């Protein structure tokens, strides 16, 4: 049972490059989320998708775009990477928006130089 | 302004003793609280939660206490085990306009349980 799978696990980008972080869940969850974790900052919500076909901004959406491709997949795109986007990115899913027993992926460590 | 505060970045406890992790919040609209545990190179995992209508919730060795008047909650681990060594995040949510809001996380407390 894979749960939430994130790819890649590590990535180094040059400033201005673009990339897409992939996330897929196999638990038939309706809601999916993207968080970033920075040292001493806890987890901050970037974007979320309450259900297939919907996406909404979280606390720190600037510089990111998302796509809920289908019920299983929720991708995060950086169009023009900046050093301030160096972080660990976590994807999570839950049965629905009212269920906070989130299942998190193992994270993507992104460095922008 | 930080709405969920974990003021102790780290805590060290001897195996078998009690670990107490603290969390304070400022938003009086928060009505649901959770603790997540995170090991290095892994994603956080849900540990235990409590609704604002309760003041205590227990699950095995883990108990969460909520003091609404003080806007304070704590996680007690008894007895502590070396495998409990991890970063613990406190999180909270509120209902806005009939809809549950997003989880707000604290910065985390790194617990080290020494054999």
């Amino acid at each position: 049972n894979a749960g939430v799978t994130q790819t890649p696990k590590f990535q180094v980008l040059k400033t201005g490059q673009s990339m897409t972080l992939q996330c897929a869940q196999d638990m038939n969850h309706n809601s999916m989320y993207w968080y970033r974790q920075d040292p001493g900052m806890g987890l901050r919500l970037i974007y979320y998708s309450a259900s297939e076909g919907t996406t909404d901004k979280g606390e720190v959406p600037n510089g990111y775009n998302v796509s809920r491709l289908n019920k299983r997949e929720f991708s995060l795109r950086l169009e023009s990477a900046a050093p301030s986007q160096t972080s660990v990115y976590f994807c999570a899913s839950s049965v629905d928006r009212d269920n906070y027993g989130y299942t998190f992926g193992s994270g993507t460590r992104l460095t922008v130089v | 302004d930080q709405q969920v505060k974990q003021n102790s970045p780290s805590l060290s406890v001897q195996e078998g003793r009690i670990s107490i992790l603290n969390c304070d919040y400022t938003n009086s609209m928060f009505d649901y609280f959770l603790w997540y545990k995170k090991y290095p190179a892994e994603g956080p995992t849900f540990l235990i939660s409590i609704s604002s209508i309760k003041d205590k919730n227990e699950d095995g060795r883990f108990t969460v206490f909520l003091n609404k008047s003080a806007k304070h909650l704590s996680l007690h681990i008894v007895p502590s085990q070396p495998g409990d060594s991890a970063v613990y995040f406190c999180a909270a949510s509120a209902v806005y306009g009939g809809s549950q809001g997003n989880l707000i996380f604290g910065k985390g407390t790194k617990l080290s349980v020494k054999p």
Side-chain angles (χ1 to χ4, degrees), chain A residues 31-53:
Chain A
S31 302
M32 298 185 73
Y33 314 84
W34 276 105
Y35 283 87
R36 61 178 288 175
Q37 184 191 11
D38 302 297
M41 293 295 292
L43 291 154
R44 292 183 293 171
L45 183 65
I46 305 171
Y47 270 94
Y48 67 97
S49 171
S51 60
E52 185 179 357

Side-chain angles (χ1 to χ4, degrees), chain B:
Chain B
D1 183 32
Q2 204 180 351
Q3 298 185 66
V4 177
K5 302 177 183 180
Q6 294 179 258
N7 292 320
S8 297
S10 62
L11 174 67
S12 183
V13 171
Q14 205 68 31
E15 181 180 5
R17 306 294 292 268
I18 185 171
S19 294
I20 300 176
L21 293 93
N22 294 305
C23 178
D24 297 295
Y25 61 95
T26 59
N27 189 342
S28 58
M29 298 293 291
F30 285 149
D31 66 343
Y32 198 71
F33 305 88
L34 306 91
W35 287 92
Y36 281 80
K37 179 171 72 173
K38 184 184 180 303
Y39 293 118
E42 296 183 10
T45 56
F46 169 72
L47 188 57
I48 193 169
S49 63
I50 187 167
S51 165
S52 60
I53 63 174
K54 296 184 177 182
D55 55 16
K56 176 183 174 181
N57 189 27
E58 190 172 356
D59 184 1
R61 296 186 298 113
F62 303 91
T63 303
V64 56
F65 296 92
L66 176 62
N67 183 333
K68 286 185 292 182
S69 61
K71 293 191 177 69
H72 177 83
L73 65 154
S74 61
L75 174 68
H76 292 210
I77 306 174
V78 184
S80 301
Q81 299 173 354
D84 296 328
S85 297
V87 176
Y88 290 79
F89 291 100
C90 173
S93 75
V95 174
Y96 297 106
S99 298
Q100 202 70 34
N102 295 317
L103 277 183
I104 306 297
F105 283 84
K107 294 183 179 182
T109 296
K110 184 176 182 179
L111 173 66
S112 299
V113 180
K114 298 184 177 181

Side-chain angles (χ1 to χ4, degrees), chain A residues 64-103:
Chain A
Y64 305 94
N65 286 302
V66 290
S67 295
R68 184 72 182 267
L69 304 171
N70 47 56
K71 191 171 185 179
R72 290 187 62 247
E73 299 173 287
F74 188 38
S75 63
L76 178 72
R77 182 160 178 84
L78 288 71
E79 290 291 350
S80 179
S84 61
Q85 294 178 304
T86 293
S87 187
V88 180
Y89 292 85
F90 289 101
C91 177
S93 69
S94 64
V95 173
D96 54 44
R97 282 277 285 136
D98 293 338
N99 186 314
Y100 290 110
Y102 292 3
T103 300

Side-chain angles (χ1 to χ4, degrees), chain A residues 18-37:
Chain A
S18 62
M19 80 162 294
T20 300
L21 281 64
Q22 307 286 353
C23 174
Q25 52 91 10
D26 62 1
M27 297 168 288
N28 202 35
H29 285 173
N30 289 305
S31 302
M32 298 185 73
Y33 314 84
W34 276 105
Y35 283 87
R36 61 178 288 175
Q37 184 191 11

